[in-house]
Amino acid sequence: MVNKLNFNSILVVISSPSGAGKTSLANSIVKEYQSISFSTSVTTRPPREGEKNGREYYFTTKDKFDLMIKRREFIEYAQVFGNYYGTPKDKTEELLHNGRDIIFDVDWQGGTKIRNSYLAPSVISIFILPPSIKTLQERLLTRNKDDKKTVKLRMKEARSEISHWSEYDYILVNNNFENVKKNIIKIIEIEKIKRNRQNYLPDFISKLNNEFDDFI
């Protein structure tokens, strides 16, 4: 565990039901803003066409995933649609040591665990809602990542996912991708200038008070 977290870093937990756009938003933000890194999860699911190990995910076997659990190498992990996903502790702490802002693309289970972890002081959470359930289904069908049976399961799970919206700091409706992306960046910028994240302030205030001696 890191001895001292860099509280100037922002850890952005983004959750949504499948198809609402959290992964696309996270990838687009990381691509556009060089100061933000993507938290690449470990998963037991097989890679989809075009996916590369270490980019979208670290792909591994169930046995190796279980070993990582036993070694406490995850900040959080969960089973989703029969596959396991976890956030590796070492990669996250490396980014924190380097003062990087980090985006976590996780479901509500992962979001809850990260918010309740030792990283909590640096975490802000954003939940992405679809503009309608019909739109959500259309997005799942048109992205061609799952068969119809899996799409049906994802739609069923979406109701449960959405029920956790009130646990998040910010709620955004993804009816315009670019606007939602801009709003996420605004949230990060506002959070970075909050008092508790400006570690230099106590020393700066002390310096100001000392300067009063020259005028009183």
PDB file of all heavy atoms in Angstrom, residues 43-76:
ATOM      1  N   THR A  43      -9.167  -9.502 -16.321  1.00  0.00           N
ATOM      2  CA  THR A  43     -10.413 -10.237 -16.528  1.00  0.00           C
ATOM      3  C   THR A  43     -10.154 -11.672 -16.972  1.00  0.00           C
ATOM      4  O   THR A  43      -9.121 -11.967 -17.586  1.00  0.00           O
ATOM      5  CB  THR A  43     -11.303  -9.551 -17.578  1.00  0.00           C
ATOM      6  OG1 THR A  43     -12.549 -10.260 -17.698  1.00  0.00           O
ATOM      7  CG2 THR A  43     -10.637  -9.519 -18.944  1.00  0.00           C
ATOM      8  N   THR A  44     -11.122 -12.529 -16.659  1.00  0.00           N
ATOM      9  CA  THR A  44     -11.040 -13.926 -17.088  1.00  0.00           C
ATOM     10  C   THR A  44     -11.795 -14.165 -18.382  1.00  0.00           C
ATOM     11  O   THR A  44     -11.764 -15.273 -18.918  1.00  0.00           O
ATOM     12  CB  THR A  44     -11.619 -14.864 -16.006  1.00  0.00           C
ATOM     13  OG1 THR A  44     -13.008 -14.533 -15.777  1.00  0.00           O
ATOM     14  CG2 THR A  44     -10.847 -14.734 -14.701  1.00  0.00           C
ATOM     15  N   ARG A  45     -12.484 -13.144 -18.896  1.00  0.00           N
ATOM     16  CA  ARG A  45     -13.209 -13.355 -20.150  1.00  0.00           C
ATOM     17  C   ARG A  45     -12.240 -13.355 -21.321  1.00  0.00           C
ATOM     18  O   ARG A  45     -11.199 -12.683 -21.277  1.00  0.00           O
ATOM     19  CB  ARG A  45     -14.309 -12.317 -20.349  1.00  0.00           C
ATOM     20  CG  ARG A  45     -13.870 -10.960 -20.855  1.00  0.00           C
ATOM     21  CD  ARG A  45     -15.046 -10.268 -21.538  1.00  0.00           C
ATOM     22  NE  ARG A  45     -14.789  -8.883 -21.884  1.00  0.00           N
ATOM     23  CZ  ARG A  45     -14.100  -8.486 -22.935  1.00  0.00           C
ATOM     24  NH1 ARG A  45     -13.496  -9.380 -23.720  1.00  0.00           N
ATOM     25  NH2 ARG A  45     -13.965  -7.201 -23.196  1.00  0.00           N
ATOM     26  N   PRO A  46     -12.545 -14.085 -22.378  1.00  0.00           N
ATOM     27  CA  PRO A  46     -11.650 -14.102 -23.541  1.00  0.00           C
ATOM     28  C   PRO A  46     -11.666 -12.762 -24.266  1.00  0.00           C
ATOM     29  O   PRO A  46     -12.680 -12.052 -24.246  1.00  0.00           O
ATOM     30  CB  PRO A  46     -12.233 -15.212 -24.419  1.00  0.00           C
ATOM     31  CG  PRO A  46     -13.668 -15.308 -24.012  1.00  0.00           C
ATOM     32  CD  PRO A  46     -13.711 -14.975 -22.555  1.00  0.00           C
ATOM     33  N   PRO A  47     -10.575 -12.397 -24.914  1.00  0.00           N
ATOM     34  CA  PRO A  47     -10.542 -11.122 -25.650  1.00  0.00           C
ATOM     35  C   PRO A  47     -11.472 -11.142 -26.853  1.00  0.00           C
ATOM     36  O   PRO A  47     -11.632 -12.169 -27.515  1.00  0.00           O
ATOM     37  CB  PRO A  47      -9.080 -11.002 -26.081  1.00  0.00           C
ATOM     38  CG  PRO A  47      -8.537 -12.390 -26.044  1.00  0.00           C
ATOM     39  CD  PRO A  47      -9.282 -13.093 -24.954  1.00  0.00           C
ATOM     40  N   ARG A  48     -12.105 -10.005 -27.101  1.00  0.00           N
ATOM     41  CA  ARG A  48     -12.930  -9.855 -28.301  1.00  0.00           C
ATOM     42  C   ARG A  48     -12.038  -9.462 -29.469  1.00  0.00           C
ATOM     43  O   ARG A  48     -10.882  -9.090 -29.280  1.00  0.00           O
ATOM     44  CB  ARG A  48     -14.000  -8.783 -28.075  1.00  0.00           C
ATOM     45  CG  ARG A  48     -15.036  -9.157 -27.019  1.00  0.00           C
ATOM     46  CD  ARG A  48     -15.930  -7.981 -26.702  1.00  0.00           C
ATOM     47  NE  ARG A  48     -16.959  -8.332 -25.718  1.00  0.00           N
ATOM     48  CZ  ARG A  48     -17.452  -7.505 -24.821  1.00  0.00           C
ATOM     49  NH1 ARG A  48     -16.997  -6.255 -24.756  1.00  0.00           N
ATOM     50  NH2 ARG A  48     -18.387  -7.893 -23.977  1.00  0.00           N
ATOM     51  N   GLU A  49     -12.592  -9.535 -30.657  1.00  0.00           N
ATOM     52  CA  GLU A  49     -11.835  -9.179 -31.858  1.00  0.00           C
ATOM     53  C   GLU A  49     -11.331  -7.741 -31.757  1.00  0.00           C
ATOM     54  O   GLU A  49     -12.078  -6.813 -31.461  1.00  0.00           O
ATOM     55  CB  GLU A  49     -12.718  -9.333 -33.096  1.00  0.00           C
ATOM     56  CG  GLU A  49     -11.974  -9.077 -34.402  1.00  0.00           C
ATOM     57  CD  GLU A  49     -12.862  -9.282 -35.624  1.00  0.00           C
ATOM     58  OE1 GLU A  49     -14.010  -9.750 -35.448  1.00  0.00           O
ATOM     59  OE2 GLU A  49     -12.413  -8.968 -36.732  1.00  0.00           O
ATOM     60  N   GLY A  50     -10.039  -7.567 -31.977  1.00  0.00           N
ATOM     61  CA  GLY A  50      -9.437  -6.241 -31.953  1.00  0.00           C
ATOM     62  C   GLY A  50      -8.882  -5.828 -30.608  1.00  0.00           C
ATOM     63  O   GLY A  50      -8.161  -4.829 -30.507  1.00  0.00           O
ATOM     64  N   GLU A  51      -9.206  -6.572 -29.550  1.00  0.00           N
ATOM     65  CA  GLU A  51      -8.695  -6.238 -28.229  1.00  0.00           C
ATOM     66  C   GLU A  51      -7.267  -6.750 -28.058  1.00  0.00           C
ATOM     67  O   GLU A  51      -6.904  -7.799 -28.582  1.00  0.00           O
ATOM     68  CB  GLU A  51      -9.598  -6.827 -27.136  1.00  0.00           C
ATOM     69  CG  GLU A  51     -10.945  -6.139 -27.045  1.00  0.00           C
ATOM     70  CD  GLU A  51     -11.800  -6.674 -25.918  1.00  0.00           C
ATOM     71  OE1 GLU A  51     -11.633  -7.867 -25.544  1.00  0.00           O
ATOM     72  OE2 GLU A  51     -12.664  -5.924 -25.417  1.00  0.00           O
ATOM     73  N   LYS A  52      -6.476  -5.995 -27.300  1.00  0.00           N
ATOM     74  CA  LYS A  52      -5.073  -6.337 -27.091  1.00  0.00           C
ATOM     75  C   LYS A  52      -4.784  -6.463 -25.600  1.00  0.00           C
ATOM     76  O   LYS A  52      -5.215  -5.604 -24.811  1.00  0.00           O
ATOM     77  CB  LYS A  52      -4.180  -5.253 -27.709  1.00  0.00           C
ATOM     78  CG  LYS A  52      -2.688  -5.532 -27.591  1.00  0.00           C
ATOM     79  CD  LYS A  52      -1.899  -4.403 -28.235  1.00  0.00           C
ATOM     80  CE  LYS A  52      -0.392  -4.656 -28.110  1.00  0.00           C
ATOM     81  NZ  LYS A  52       0.387  -3.546 -28.716  1.00  0.00           N
ATOM     82  N   ASN A  53      -4.082  -7.510 -25.215  1.00  0.00           N
ATOM     83  CA  ASN A  53      -3.747  -7.720 -23.817  1.00  0.00           C
ATOM     84  C   ASN A  53      -2.915  -6.548 -23.278  1.00  0.00           C
ATOM     85  O   ASN A  53      -1.943  -6.126 -23.889  1.00  0.00           O
ATOM     86  CB  ASN A  53      -2.948  -9.017 -23.655  1.00  0.00           C
ATOM     87  CG  ASN A  53      -2.694  -9.355 -22.199  1.00  0.00           C
ATOM     88  OD1 ASN A  53      -3.608  -9.337 -21.386  1.00  0.00           O
ATOM     89  ND2 ASN A  53      -1.450  -9.653 -21.862  1.00  0.00           N
ATOM     90  N   GLY A  54      -3.371  -5.991 -22.145  1.00  0.00           N
ATOM     91  CA  GLY A  54      -2.693  -4.859 -21.545  1.00  0.00           C
ATOM     92  C   GLY A  54      -3.242  -3.521 -21.994  1.00  0.00           C
ATOM     93  O   GLY A  54      -2.867  -2.485 -21.433  1.00  0.00           O
ATOM     94  N   ARG A  55      -4.098  -3.504 -22.999  1.00  0.00           N
ATOM     95  CA  ARG A  55      -4.707  -2.253 -23.454  1.00  0.00           C
ATOM     96  C   ARG A  55      -6.139  -2.160 -22.930  1.00  0.00           C
ATOM     97  O   ARG A  55      -6.423  -1.388 -22.021  1.00  0.00           O
ATOM     98  CB  ARG A  55      -4.684  -2.158 -24.983  1.00  0.00           C
ATOM     99  CG  ARG A  55      -5.162  -0.792 -25.507  1.00  0.00           C
ATOM    100  CD  ARG A  55      -5.046  -0.749 -27.024  1.00  0.00           C
ATOM    101  NE  ARG A  55      -5.889  -1.751 -27.679  1.00  0.00           N
ATOM    102  CZ  ARG A  55      -5.816  -2.058 -28.964  1.00  0.00           C
ATOM    103  NH1 ARG A  55      -4.916  -1.438 -29.740  1.00  0.00           N
ATOM    104  NH2 ARG A  55      -6.617  -2.967 -29.500  1.00  0.00           N
ATOM    105  N   GLU A  56      -7.049  -2.950 -23.485  1.00  0.00           N
ATOM    106  CA  GLU A  56      -8.421  -2.955 -22.977  1.00  0.00           C
ATOM    107  C   GLU A  56      -8.495  -3.641 -21.613  1.00  0.00           C
ATOM    108  O   GLU A  56      -9.142  -3.157 -20.687  1.00  0.00           O
ATOM    109  CB  GLU A  56      -9.375  -3.659 -23.951  1.00  0.00           C
ATOM    110  CG  GLU A  56      -9.714  -2.870 -25.198  1.00  0.00           C
ATOM    111  CD  GLU A  56      -8.626  -2.945 -26.255  1.00  0.00           C
ATOM    112  OE1 GLU A  56      -7.689  -3.763 -26.097  1.00  0.00           O
ATOM    113  OE2 GLU A  56      -8.713  -2.192 -27.243  1.00  0.00           O
ATOM    114  N   TYR A  57      -7.830  -4.796 -21.529  1.00  0.00           N
ATOM    115  CA  TYR A  57      -7.790  -5.578 -20.286  1.00  0.00           C
ATOM    116  C   TYR A  57      -6.481  -6.344 -20.212  1.00  0.00           C
ATOM    117  O   TYR A  57      -5.783  -6.514 -21.216  1.00  0.00           O
ATOM    118  CB  TYR A  57      -8.934  -6.616 -20.235  1.00  0.00           C
ATOM    119  CG  TYR A  57     -10.314  -6.040 -20.086  1.00  0.00           C
ATOM    120  CD1 TYR A  57     -11.129  -5.825 -21.202  1.00  0.00           C
ATOM    121  CD2 TYR A  57     -10.828  -5.725 -18.829  1.00  0.00           C
ATOM    122  CE1 TYR A  57     -12.406  -5.309 -21.071  1.00  0.00           C
ATOM    123  CE2 TYR A  57     -12.108  -5.213 -18.683  1.00  0.00           C
ATOM    124  CZ  TYR A  57     -12.897  -5.007 -19.811  1.00  0.00           C
ATOM    125  OH  TYR A  57     -14.159  -4.490 -19.669  1.00  0.00           O
ATOM    126  N   TYR A  58      -6.173  -6.819 -18.997  1.00  0.00           N
ATOM    127  CA  TYR A  58      -5.166  -7.854 -18.829  1.00  0.00           C
ATOM    128  C   TYR A  58      -5.936  -9.176 -18.787  1.00  0.00           C
ATOM    129  O   TYR A  58      -6.680  -9.433 -17.839  1.00  0.00           O
ATOM    130  CB  TYR A  58      -4.373  -7.665 -17.529  1.00  0.00           C
ATOM    131  CG  TYR A  58      -3.559  -6.404 -17.485  1.00  0.00           C
ATOM    132  CD1 TYR A  58      -3.939  -5.337 -16.684  1.00  0.00           C
ATOM    133  CD2 TYR A  58      -2.393  -6.284 -18.238  1.00  0.00           C
ATOM    134  CE1 TYR A  58      -3.184  -4.170 -16.629  1.00  0.00           C
ATOM    135  CE2 TYR A  58      -1.633  -5.118 -18.196  1.00  0.00           C
ATOM    136  CZ  TYR A  58      -2.036  -4.070 -17.395  1.00  0.00           C
ATOM    137  OH  TYR A  58      -1.286  -2.914 -17.358  1.00  0.00           O
ATOM    138  N   PHE A  59      -5.784  -9.973 -19.812  1.00  0.00           N
ATOM    139  CA  PHE A  59      -6.543 -11.219 -19.897  1.00  0.00           C
ATOM    140  C   PHE A  59      -5.797 -12.339 -19.181  1.00  0.00           C
ATOM    141  O   PHE A  59      -4.582 -12.501 -19.354  1.00  0.00           O
ATOM    142  CB  PHE A  59      -6.780 -11.596 -21.362  1.00  0.00           C
ATOM    143  CG  PHE A  59      -7.613 -10.586 -22.100  1.00  0.00           C
ATOM    144  CD1 PHE A  59      -7.010  -9.624 -22.913  1.00  0.00           C
ATOM    145  CD2 PHE A  59      -8.988 -10.578 -21.976  1.00  0.00           C
ATOM    146  CE1 PHE A  59      -7.768  -8.683 -23.584  1.00  0.00           C
ATOM    147  CE2 PHE A  59      -9.755  -9.631 -22.642  1.00  0.00           C
ATOM    148  CZ  PHE A  59      -9.150  -8.691 -23.453  1.00  0.00           C
ATOM    149  N   THR A  60      -6.525 -13.104 -18.365  1.00  0.00           N
ATOM    150  CA  THR A  60      -5.896 -14.170 -17.602  1.00  0.00           C
ATOM    151  C   THR A  60      -6.864 -15.324 -17.406  1.00  0.00           C
ATOM    152  O   THR A  60      -8.031 -15.246 -17.811  1.00  0.00           O
ATOM    153  CB  THR A  60      -5.410 -13.640 -16.234  1.00  0.00           C
ATOM    154  OG1 THR A  60      -4.579 -14.621 -15.621  1.00  0.00           O
ATOM    155  CG2 THR A  60      -6.577 -13.329 -15.314  1.00  0.00           C
ATOM    156  N   THR A  61      -6.393 -16.392 -16.780  1.00  0.00           N
ATOM    157  CA  THR A  61      -7.233 -17.561 -16.523  1.00  0.00           C
ATOM    158  C   THR A  61      -7.889 -17.432 -15.151  1.00  0.00           C
ATOM    159  O   THR A  61      -7.459 -16.638 -14.304  1.00  0.00           O
ATOM    160  CB  THR A  61      -6.398 -18.850 -16.551  1.00  0.00           C
ATOM    161  OG1 THR A  61      -5.443 -18.803 -15.472  1.00  0.00           O
ATOM    162  CG2 THR A  61      -5.669 -18.990 -17.881  1.00  0.00           C
ATOM    163  N   LYS A  62      -8.911 -18.254 -14.927  1.00  0.00           N
ATOM    164  CA  LYS A  62      -9.600 -18.243 -13.628  1.00  0.00           C
ATOM    165  C   LYS A  62      -8.639 -18.669 -12.519  1.00  0.00           C
ATOM    166  O   LYS A  62      -8.666 -18.104 -11.418  1.00  0.00           O
ATOM    167  CB  LYS A  62     -10.803 -19.196 -13.675  1.00  0.00           C
ATOM    168  CG  LYS A  62     -11.575 -19.298 -12.368  1.00  0.00           C
ATOM    169  CD  LYS A  62     -12.161 -17.961 -11.950  1.00  0.00           C
ATOM    170  CE  LYS A  62     -13.191 -18.125 -10.837  1.00  0.00           C
ATOM    171  NZ  LYS A  62     -12.635 -18.728  -9.615  1.00  0.00           N
ATOM    172  N   ASP A  63      -7.787 -19.644 -12.780  1.00  0.00           N
ATOM    173  CA  ASP A  63      -6.837 -20.101 -11.760  1.00  0.00           C
ATOM    174  C   ASP A  63      -5.876 -18.981 -11.351  1.00  0.00           C
ATOM    175  O   ASP A  63      -5.596 -18.789 -10.166  1.00  0.00           O
ATOM    176  CB  ASP A  63      -6.039 -21.309 -12.267  1.00  0.00           C
ATOM    177  CG  ASP A  63      -6.879 -22.577 -12.320  1.00  0.00           C
ATOM    178  OD1 ASP A  63      -7.948 -22.602 -11.667  1.00  0.00           O
ATOM    179  OD2 ASP A  63      -6.486 -23.527 -13.017  1.00  0.00           O
ATOM    180  N   LYS A  64      -5.366 -18.253 -12.347  1.00  0.00           N
ATOM    181  CA  LYS A  64      -4.434 -17.164 -12.042  1.00  0.00           C
ATOM    182  C   LYS A  64      -5.157 -16.012 -11.331  1.00  0.00           C
ATOM    183  O   LYS A  64      -4.592 -15.355 -10.457  1.00  0.00           O
ATOM    184  CB  LYS A  64      -3.768 -16.665 -13.324  1.00  0.00           C
ATOM    185  CG  LYS A  64      -2.772 -17.660 -13.904  1.00  0.00           C
ATOM    186  CD  LYS A  64      -2.117 -17.116 -15.168  1.00  0.00           C
ATOM    187  CE  LYS A  64      -1.109 -18.112 -15.730  1.00  0.00           C
ATOM    188  NZ  LYS A  64      -0.474 -17.615 -16.973  1.00  0.00           N
ATOM    189  N   PHE A  65      -6.414 -15.789 -11.728  1.00  0.00           N
ATOM    190  CA  PHE A  65      -7.213 -14.752 -11.073  1.00  0.00           C
ATOM    191  C   PHE A  65      -7.418 -15.110  -9.600  1.00  0.00           C
ATOM    192  O   PHE A  65      -7.282 -14.260  -8.716  1.00  0.00           O
ATOM    193  CB  PHE A  65      -8.560 -14.598 -11.777  1.00  0.00           C
ATOM    194  CG  PHE A  65      -9.296 -13.329 -11.451  1.00  0.00           C
ATOM    195  CD1 PHE A  65      -9.208 -12.224 -12.275  1.00  0.00           C
ATOM    196  CD2 PHE A  65     -10.085 -13.235 -10.303  1.00  0.00           C
ATOM    197  CE1 PHE A  65      -9.882 -11.046 -11.975  1.00  0.00           C
ATOM    198  CE2 PHE A  65     -10.761 -12.073  -9.991  1.00  0.00           C
ATOM    199  CZ  PHE A  65     -10.656 -10.976 -10.830  1.00  0.00           C
ATOM    200  N   ASP A  66      -7.738 -16.384  -9.333  1.00  0.00           N
ATOM    201  CA  ASP A  66      -7.928 -16.841  -7.948  1.00  0.00           C
ATOM    202  C   ASP A  66      -6.648 -16.653  -7.131  1.00  0.00           C
ATOM    203  O   ASP A  66      -6.705 -16.296  -5.949  1.00  0.00           O
ATOM    204  CB  ASP A  66      -8.339 -18.313  -7.928  1.00  0.00           C
ATOM    205  CG  ASP A  66      -9.768 -18.529  -8.376  1.00  0.00           C
ATOM    206  OD1 ASP A  66     -10.555 -17.561  -8.323  1.00  0.00           O
ATOM    207  OD2 ASP A  66     -10.109 -19.663  -8.781  1.00  0.00           O
ATOM    208  N   LEU A  67      -5.506 -16.909  -7.772  1.00  0.00           N
ATOM    209  CA  LEU A  67      -4.228 -16.733  -7.084  1.00  0.00           C
ATOM    210  C   LEU A  67      -4.000 -15.268  -6.731  1.00  0.00           C
ATOM    211  O   LEU A  67      -3.498 -14.949  -5.639  1.00  0.00           O
ATOM    212  CB  LEU A  67      -3.089 -17.248  -7.965  1.00  0.00           C
ATOM    213  CG  LEU A  67      -1.685 -17.230  -7.339  1.00  0.00           C
ATOM    214  CD1 LEU A  67      -1.649 -18.073  -6.078  1.00  0.00           C
ATOM    215  CD2 LEU A  67      -0.659 -17.738  -8.364  1.00  0.00           C
ATOM    216  N   MET A  68      -4.380 -14.370  -7.639  1.00  0.00           N
ATOM    217  CA  MET A  68      -4.248 -12.935  -7.377  1.00  0.00           C
ATOM    218  C   MET A  68      -5.147 -12.510  -6.214  1.00  0.00           C
ATOM    219  O   MET A  68      -4.783 -11.648  -5.413  1.00  0.00           O
ATOM    220  CB  MET A  68      -4.579 -12.128  -8.636  1.00  0.00           C
ATOM    221  CG  MET A  68      -3.568 -12.309  -9.759  1.00  0.00           C
ATOM    222  SD  MET A  68      -3.985 -11.344 -11.248  1.00  0.00           S
ATOM    223  CE  MET A  68      -3.561  -9.681 -10.697  1.00  0.00           C
ATOM    224  N   ILE A  69      -6.321 -13.126  -6.116  1.00  0.00           N
ATOM    225  CA  ILE A  69      -7.218 -12.837  -4.984  1.00  0.00           C
ATOM    226  C   ILE A  69      -6.550 -13.250  -3.674  1.00  0.00           C
ATOM    227  O   ILE A  69      -6.548 -12.497  -2.700  1.00  0.00           O
ATOM    228  CB  ILE A  69      -8.564 -13.572  -5.156  1.00  0.00           C
ATOM    229  CG1 ILE A  69      -9.346 -13.000  -6.344  1.00  0.00           C
ATOM    230  CG2 ILE A  69      -9.401 -13.440  -3.876  1.00  0.00           C
ATOM    231  CD1 ILE A  69     -10.616 -13.761  -6.664  1.00  0.00           C
ATOM    232  N   LYS A  70      -5.996 -14.460  -3.653  1.00  0.00           N
ATOM    233  CA  LYS A  70      -5.346 -14.969  -2.450  1.00  0.00           C
ATOM    234  C   LYS A  70      -4.169 -14.094  -2.031  1.00  0.00           C
ATOM    235  O   LYS A  70      -3.888 -13.925  -0.843  1.00  0.00           O
ATOM    236  CB  LYS A  70      -4.883 -16.406  -2.677  1.00  0.00           C
ATOM    237  CG  LYS A  70      -6.016 -17.409  -2.795  1.00  0.00           C
ATOM    238  CD  LYS A  70      -5.493 -18.817  -3.065  1.00  0.00           C
ATOM    239  CE  LYS A  70      -6.644 -19.799  -3.214  1.00  0.00           C
ATOM    240  NZ  LYS A  70      -6.155 -21.179  -3.533  1.00  0.00           N
ATOM    241  N   ARG A  71      -3.489 -13.520  -3.020  1.00  0.00           N
ATOM    242  CA  ARG A  71      -2.341 -12.653  -2.733  1.00  0.00           C
ATOM    243  C   ARG A  71      -2.764 -11.209  -2.438  1.00  0.00           C
ATOM    244  O   ARG A  71      -1.920 -10.347  -2.240  1.00  0.00           O
ATOM    245  CB  ARG A  71      -1.383 -12.671  -3.926  1.00  0.00           C
ATOM    246  CG  ARG A  71      -0.680 -14.008  -4.130  1.00  0.00           C
ATOM    247  CD  ARG A  71       0.172 -13.972  -5.393  1.00  0.00           C
ATOM    248  NE  ARG A  71       0.939 -15.195  -5.573  1.00  0.00           N
ATOM    249  CZ  ARG A  71       1.653 -15.495  -6.656  1.00  0.00           C
ATOM    250  NH1 ARG A  71       1.712 -14.620  -7.666  1.00  0.00           N
ATOM    251  NH2 ARG A  71       2.315 -16.623  -6.733  1.00  0.00           N
ATOM    252  N   ARG A  72      -4.059 -10.960  -2.464  1.00  0.00           N
ATOM    253  CA  ARG A  72      -4.617  -9.627  -2.202  1.00  0.00           C
ATOM    254  C   ARG A  72      -4.050  -8.587  -3.164  1.00  0.00           C
ATOM    255  O   ARG A  72      -3.655  -7.487  -2.754  1.00  0.00           O
ATOM    256  CB  ARG A  72      -4.365  -9.225  -0.747  1.00  0.00           C
ATOM    257  CG  ARG A  72      -5.042 -10.156   0.246  1.00  0.00           C
ATOM    258  CD  ARG A  72      -4.839  -9.693   1.667  1.00  0.00           C
ATOM    259  NE  ARG A  72      -5.540 -10.575   2.606  1.00  0.00           N
ATOM    260  CZ  ARG A  72      -5.561 -10.413   3.917  1.00  0.00           C
ATOM    261  NH1 ARG A  72      -4.914  -9.382   4.454  1.00  0.00           N
ATOM    262  NH2 ARG A  72      -6.208 -11.256   4.694  1.00  0.00           N
ATOM    263  N   GLU A  73      -4.026  -8.945  -4.431  1.00  0.00           N
ATOM    264  CA  GLU A  73      -3.459  -8.064  -5.442  1.00  0.00           C
ATOM    265  C   GLU A  73      -4.499  -7.161  -6.106  1.00  0.00           C
ATOM    266  O   GLU A  73      -4.165  -6.393  -7.004  1.00  0.00           O
ATOM    267  CB  GLU A  73      -2.745  -8.902  -6.515  1.00  0.00           C
ATOM    268  CG  GLU A  73      -1.532  -9.644  -5.970  1.00  0.00           C
ATOM    269  CD  GLU A  73      -0.839 -10.497  -7.021  1.00  0.00           C
ATOM    270  OE1 GLU A  73      -1.170 -10.348  -8.224  1.00  0.00           O
ATOM    271  OE2 GLU A  73       0.025 -11.319  -6.652  1.00  0.00           O
ATOM    272  N   PHE A  74      -5.759  -7.259  -5.661  1.00  0.00           N
ATOM    273  CA  PHE A  74      -6.818  -6.435  -6.236  1.00  0.00           C
ATOM    274  C   PHE A  74      -7.308  -5.398  -5.230  1.00  0.00           C
ATOM    275  O   PHE A  74      -7.421  -5.667  -4.034  1.00  0.00           O
ATOM    276  CB  PHE A  74      -8.015  -7.290  -6.654  1.00  0.00           C
ATOM    277  CG  PHE A  74      -7.743  -8.203  -7.820  1.00  0.00           C
ATOM    278  CD1 PHE A  74      -7.854  -9.577  -7.673  1.00  0.00           C
ATOM    279  CD2 PHE A  74      -7.379  -7.699  -9.056  1.00  0.00           C
ATOM    280  CE1 PHE A  74      -7.621 -10.432  -8.736  1.00  0.00           C
ATOM    281  CE2 PHE A  74      -7.125  -8.539 -10.131  1.00  0.00           C
ATOM    282  CZ  PHE A  74      -7.253  -9.910  -9.963  1.00  0.00           C
ATOM    283  N   ILE A  75      -7.620  -4.201  -5.733  1.00  0.00           N
ATOM    284  CA  ILE A  75      -8.328  -3.210  -4.932  1.00  0.00           C
ATOM    285  C   ILE A  75      -9.780  -3.626  -4.814  1.00  0.00           C
ATOM    286  O   ILE A  75     -10.415  -3.491  -3.772  1.00  0.00           O
ATOM    287  CB  ILE A  75      -8.230  -1.813  -5.585  1.00  0.00           C
ATOM    288  CG1 ILE A  75      -6.774  -1.337  -5.573  1.00  0.00           C
ATOM    289  CG2 ILE A  75      -9.111  -0.801  -4.844  1.00  0.00           C
ATOM    290  CD1 ILE A  75      -6.535  -0.092  -6.370  1.00  0.00           C
ATOM    291  N   GLU A  76     -10.307  -4.161  -5.911  1.00  0.00           N
ATOM    292  CA  GLU A  76     -11.664  -4.687  -5.941  1.00  0.00           C
ATOM    293  C   GLU A  76     -11.753  -5.725  -7.036  1.00  0.00           C
ATOM    294  O   GLU A  76     -10.971  -5.713  -7.991  1.00  0.00           O
ATOM    295  CB  GLU A  76     -12.697  -3.576  -6.178  1.00  0.00           C
ATOM    296  CG  GLU A  76     -12.540  -2.820  -7.500  1.00  0.00           C
ATOM    297  CD  GLU A  76     -13.118  -3.544  -8.696  1.00  0.00           C
ATOM    298  OE1 GLU A  76     -14.048  -4.356  -8.508  1.00  0.00           O
ATOM    299  OE2 GLU A  76     -12.642  -3.311  -9.818  1.00  0.00           O
TER     300      GLU A  76
END
